[in-house]
């Protein structure tokens, strides 16, 4: 599965201004691209909302070879209730630790050289006070699971991830598609995994020709397919094909065709200005607060 790549994690953000401040100024990421949409995504990329929304990709480098964050902002939605599903992102960056201290962003020491902090909305980040040993400082995404063995069967046997580490006593495992990519850490918890309203989504790419086979595999194994294979348009950019899955605990997983995604994800030099302009325009726009409501169920 060396042709598969870990791409990004999707965060729903209520306070776009403060969130951008955290990712840009505290973590030191750059805006890679910014896109505005007038209506909800066919693959529920923005969650169960029908209205206007935006997507901002931020990272330490190009999406071709960096794991990045997708900041999803639904106009008029100011906050999202957190569950226990997302347990944090770990990155190696002494610069981020330094930035946090200079900006007086709260840091809590959890181990020697490791600090915990939170993005607006309560999303946890773990900062290792050292230079990264690889080109991408983002090391791993940690998700909660209720049954580690069942999850390992899904992620490794079905999705083809290599198991790098496994600790039965601590109920954790580290998986990935390649040595130099961001890893997925599964951490067993007591009880059920609660996604609440803030639930995110982790994204991977694979050759486009593998998408129908992946969907068929999940059908045969009776696993959840949240969105069958569909084409997604981005105004003025490449159209991509995706299939959205859910693991045994309901974690949302996006697989996108790699070839078109590389076109879509090219860094936009105007991305930062587009974001800043959108945030400036949003300051005085209260209309969407009464318009962008969750989609009706059923």
């Amino acid at each position: 599965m060396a042709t598969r790549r870990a791409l990004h994690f999707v965060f729903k953000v209520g306070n776009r201004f403060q969130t951008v401040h955290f990712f840009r100024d505290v973590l030191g990421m750059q805006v890679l691209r910014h896109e505005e949409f007038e209506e909800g995504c066919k693959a529920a990329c923005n969650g169960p909302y029908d209205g206007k929304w935006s997507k901002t990709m931020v990272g330490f480098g190009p999406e071709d070879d960096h794991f990045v964050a997708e900041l999803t902002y639904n106009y008029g939605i100011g906050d999202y209730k957190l569950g226990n599903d997302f347990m944090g992102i770990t990155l190696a960056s002494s610069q981020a630790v330094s930035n946090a201290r200079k900006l007086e962003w709260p840091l809590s020491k959890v181990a020697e050289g490791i600090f915990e902090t939170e993005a607006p909305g309560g999303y946890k980040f773990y900062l290792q006070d050292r230079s990264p040993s690889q080109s991408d400082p983002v090391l791993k995404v940690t998700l909660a699971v209720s049954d580690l063995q069942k999850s390992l069967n899904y992620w490794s046997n079905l999705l083809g991830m290599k198991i790098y580490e496994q600790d039965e006593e601590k109920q954790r495992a580290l998986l990935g598609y390649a040595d130099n990519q961001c890893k997925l850490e599964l951490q067993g918890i007591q009880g059920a995994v609660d996604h609440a309203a803030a639930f995110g989504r982790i994204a991977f790419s694979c050759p486009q020709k593998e998408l129908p086979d992946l969907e068929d595999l999940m059908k045969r194994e009776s696993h959840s397919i949240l969105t069958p294979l569909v084409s997604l348009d981005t105004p003025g950019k490449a159209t991509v094909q995706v299939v959205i899955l859910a693991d045994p605990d309901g974690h949302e997983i996006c697989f996108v065709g790699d070839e078109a995604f590389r076109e879509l994800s090219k860094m936009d030099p105007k991305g930062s200005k587009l974001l800043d302009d959108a945030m400036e325009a949003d300051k005085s726009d209260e209309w969407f607060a009464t318009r962008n409501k969750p989609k009706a169920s059923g």
Side-chain angles (χ1 to χ4, degrees), residues 98-120:
S98 175
N99 292 344
R101 285 172 172 156
K102 288 178 182 176
L103 295 169
E104 298 183 347
W105 195 273
L107 287 176
S108 300
K109 186 175 181 179
V110 293
E112 190 60 39
I114 303 177
F115 298 87
E116 178 186 300
T117 190
E118 289 186 2

Side-chain angles (χ1 to χ4, degrees), residues 50-119:
D50 276 331
K52 183 177 178 180
W53 64 288
S54 73
K55 173 198 299 181
T56 308
M57 310 303 290
V58 293
F60 289 105
E63 292 178 68
D64 267 359
D65 51 13
H66 289 75
F67 188 86
V68 308
E70 176 178 318
L71 309 180
T72 296
Y73 176 69
N74 289 294
Y75 284 80
I77 309 297
D79 60 77
Y80 301 90
K81 182 182 177 184
L82 281 176
N84 62 2
D85 51 347
F86 175 78
M87 299 186 74
I89 284 182
T90 300
L91 55 93
S93 173
S94 53
Q95 185 61 56
V97 174
S98 175
N99 292 344
R101 285 172 172 156
K102 288 178 182 176
L103 295 169
E104 298 183 347
W105 195 273
L107 287 176
S108 300
K109 186 175 181 179
V110 293
E112 190 60 39
I114 303 177
F115 298 87
E116 178 186 300
T117 190
E118 289 186 2

